[in-house]
Amino acid sequence: GQNPNTLDVTYENCQARVRTLELMDIANLTGGLVVGTGDLSELALGWATYNGDHMSMYGVNAGVPKTLVRHIVQYEADTADSAALREVLIDILDTPVSPELLPAADNGEIAQKTEDLVGPYELHDFFLYYVLRWGCPPAKLFRIAKQAFRESEFSNETILKWLKNFYRRFFNQQFKRNCLPDGPKVGSVCLSPRGDWRMPSDAAQRLWADEIQKLS
């Protein structure tokens, strides 16, 4: 009963789940398995459709943050023996990160740009490192971030805006992390419920949110 002209969350998530259904069916048909593409940054922000791209037989990137994924692709492009492969990898790097769940514009431009919606991964991966590895509370993390990015394109207001979003999404999206497919632990921390991270899905962010409200 969904109107195809109504580009809402039902429209988007239906596509993500159907994609996964098709991949799972092909895996069964061919005796293969579905390799998950979701990375550590997306797991932290819950930037995946529950039981859509959230699900796979093995989440190979589960321990790799988005910024590192980009560096790995750049390295492979720089060391590629094939000019054709290098061209493809550079094209991937030049394409904005997007779930591509909405129709492209008439000129072919991608309609959804992830970092416009959830914030720059450069900031979120920074937040994630200091929250997971060092247990930094919001006030300390904001102070560190202002110092680290003082000569960057990110103003203090921008940092604070996305810091608020990070904590909100990190708490609200735990239910997706509690039923992750298996994946490797690559760095010093991971978000697997079978590894480093234990957190109830109904955990409240009130203490952290109250502290963030006092920041400026």
Side-chain angles (χ1 to χ4, degrees):
Q2 172 75 8
N3 184 332
N5 296 316
T6 303
L7 306 182
D8 58 5
V9 67
T10 303
Y11 179 95
E12 293 186 42
N13 285 347
C14 177
Q15 290 190 78
R17 293 191 179 105
V18 169
R19 288 179 187 177
T20 302
L21 173 64
E22 294 289 347
L23 289 170
M24 294 285 186
D25 289 346
I26 293 171
N28 291 154
L29 184 66
T30 60
L33 54 82
V34 177
V35 178
T37 59
D39 54 51
L40 183 63
S41 307
E42 292 168 344
L43 293 178
L45 299 171
W47 192 246
T49 296
Y50 189 77
N51 210 31
D53 52 308
H54 156 260
M55 190 48 59
S56 66
M57 279 77 168
Y58 191 73
V60 69
N61 293 328
V64 186
K66 180 74 73 178
T67 46
L68 181 55
V69 170
R70 288 171 169 164
H71 282 292
I72 292 171
V73 175
Q74 183 67 63
Y75 173 81
E76 290 297 325
D78 293 341
T79 58
D81 294 330
S82 163
L85 175 58
R86 173 178 168 77
E87 183 179 349
V88 169
L89 293 175
I90 294 298
D91 185 54
I92 291 171
L93 284 173
D94 289 341
T95 302
V97 179
S98 172
E100 295 185 279
L101 296 176
L102 292 177
D106 292 338
N107 62 0
E109 184 177 344
I110 292 174
Q112 285 177 300
K113 296 180 180 179
T114 295
E115 291 180 289
D116 290 345
L117 301 170
V118 298
Y121 279 115
E122 187 176 354
L123 288 178
H124 284 310
D125 286 354
F126 183 90
F127 301 153
L128 182 61
Y129 173 77
Y130 279 99
V131 168
L132 285 189
R133 187 68 181 83
W134 300 106
C136 282
K140 183 175 182 179
L141 178 52
F142 184 46
R143 186 168 67 251
I144 293 172
K146 287 192 294 184
Q147 181 68 15
F149 293 100
R150 67 187 185 280
E151 296 181 1
S152 74
E153 62 186 291
F154 304 121
S155 66
N156 291 347
E157 292 74 18
T158 298
I159 294 171
L160 182 57
K161 170 187 175 181
W162 295 119
L163 182 63
K164 291 177 180 178
N165 191 56
F166 172 83
Y167 276 102
R168 179 183 63 80
R169 294 194 65 96
F170 187 80
F171 275 83
N172 291 347
Q173 301 295 311
Q174 175 62 24
F175 73 99
K176 295 177 183 176
R177 298 190 288 266
N178 273 342
C179 53
L180 286 176
D182 286 342
K185 178 179 176 178
V186 176
S188 59
V189 292
C190 72
L191 284 171
S192 170
R194 297 172 295 277
D196 297 346
W197 196 248
R198 304 289 194 280
M199 180 179 177
S201 295
D202 59 352
Q205 60 152 335
R206 178 64 183 272
L207 293 175
W208 289 265
D210 287 348
E211 184 172 321
I212 291 173
Q213 289 303 318
K214 300 174 183 177
L215 302 176
S216 61

